[in-house]
Amino acid sequence: MRLRTKVLWGLVVLLLVVAAAVPLVVGIRPIIGPRARPLTDRRFEPSAERLERGRYLVTSVAGCLVCHSELDWQAPGFPARAGTEGGGRRFDQEGLAWLTVPNITPDADTGAGHWTDDMLVRAIREGISHDGRALFPIMPYTQYRYMADEDLASIVVYIRSLPALRRSLPPSAVPFPVNRFINAVPEPVEGPVPAPDQNNAVAYGGYLVRLGACRDCHTPQNAQGQPLAALEFSGGFVLEGPYGRVASGNITPDSSGIPYYTADLFLEMIRTGKVKARKIHDQMPWASYAGQSDGDLKAIFAYLQTITPVRHRVDNTLKPTACPVCEGTHGGGDTNTAGAAPN
C-alpha cells in the first residue's frame, strides 16, 4: 500500500511538472485557444468601385479562387473549374485529406450566407474562423494581415457578389497536436491599415507580394513547419498533388535564382507560364496571377529585385536529394553547400 501511494504521488508530481513545463515550451495558446478580438457590427457598403477592385484582388492578385474552388488539373496553370468558383474544396489530392477550404459563396446553408462582414474580416486578416477556431495557416492570413482596410472591404463586397453554390463539405479535422499548435498563429489586427503608396513601385510591389503570398510558397520550412527566415524567397518548399512532387523555385537575384530576369521577361512568364521556351510548373498559379495589370506586375518585379540574394539551387529537372542548406529534399539539393545560403 505504501509503495502504491508513493507511485501515485510520483505520477501526480510528474503530471504537475509537465503541466507547468508545456506552457513554458510552446506557450499557453495551444491550451487555451487562439487570440481573437470580439466581433463588431461593421458592414461594408457595396459600390461599383469596391466590386471591381474586389474582383481584381480575388481573381488575380490574391488568387483566392485557387484554393476556394475545384481545380482543373489537366488545364495549363490549374485554373478553377467553371461553376465551382468560391465553392471550396478538400485538399485530399494534395496529401491533406483532413483539410477543407470552405465554401465562401453566399449560400445560406453550406456557404458564407450567414457570416457577417466582420467574420470574413477576422478570417481573412486574422486567421479566426467564423466559429472562433484558428484557421490552418495554408490560408495566408499572416500575409493578409498587411492588407489595407479598403482592399479588405472590396474583397468582402466581391465575395458577397459570387453566385451562391450549394456545396456541402466536411469540416477540417486538423490532426493533434497540430490543431493545438496553430492556436498560437492568429493575431488580432489592431488599428487601421492604410493603403500603400502606389507611386512607390518597390513599396507597392512588396504589398502585392504579401497579398500574393509569394513568401509562403517560395520560402523553405524547417521540420516544425516554420519558414526559414534566412532563406526567404530562395525556394525549396515542396508541394505534392496529382501533378507529382515539385519544389518552388529560388526567385532571389542570386545566380542560383533569377538574376537574368528583366521586367519584360517576368511579365511574359506570368502571362504565358513560360520563360522563353521553358515551361514553368503549373503548380505556380500563373493562370490566376496573369490577370494582374502590367503596372502591378512591374511593381512586383521591382520589389523582387531588392530582396537579399540567397545561394540555394533548386532544380526540378534533377533527382530530389538532401539539401544541406534548407535541410529538405528537392531537385539539385546535393549541389548546394552548407553554410553558403545568404549571398
Side-chain angles (χ1 to χ4, degrees), residues 141-269:
Y141 54 85
T142 57
Q143 305 298 334
Y144 290 167
R145 67 180 291 104
Y146 299 94
M147 186 183 292
D149 292 340
E150 184 55 32
D151 278 349
L152 183 63
S154 297
I155 285 176
V156 171
V157 166
Y158 179 73
I159 287 174
R160 298 291 196 204
S161 78
L162 291 171
L165 298 179
R166 192 171 185 81
R167 181 171 168 77
S168 182
L169 295 167
S172 291
V174 183
F176 180 84
V178 178
N179 63 337
R180 296 294 184 179
F181 290 147
I182 62 174
N183 285 338
V185 183
E187 291 283 349
V189 173
E190 306 291 348
V193 180
D197 179 6
Q198 295 193 26
N199 294 316
N200 183 328
V202 172
Y204 185 53
Y207 174 75
L208 295 172
V209 163
R210 291 279 191 191
L211 266 56
C214 305
R215 280 178 179 81
D216 287 0
C217 279
H218 286 279
T219 301
Q221 298 180 349
N222 61 20
Q224 289 72 46
Q226 298 299 308
L228 301 173
L231 302 182
E232 195 169 68
F233 294 108
S234 73
F237 181 79
V238 175
L239 301 112
E240 298 186 61
Y243 46 80
R245 187 177 188 276
V246 62
S248 60
N250 183 342
I251 57 173
T252 76
D254 183 73
S255 59
S256 59
I258 56 170
Y260 54 91
Y261 269 39
T262 64
D264 287 341
L265 183 59
F266 181 73
L267 264 66
E268 179 182 328
M269 181 272 294

Side-chain angles (χ1 to χ4, degrees), residues 285-297:
W286 60 268
S288 177
Y289 293 155
Q292 296 180 70
S293 68
D294 285 359
D296 281 4
L297 288 175

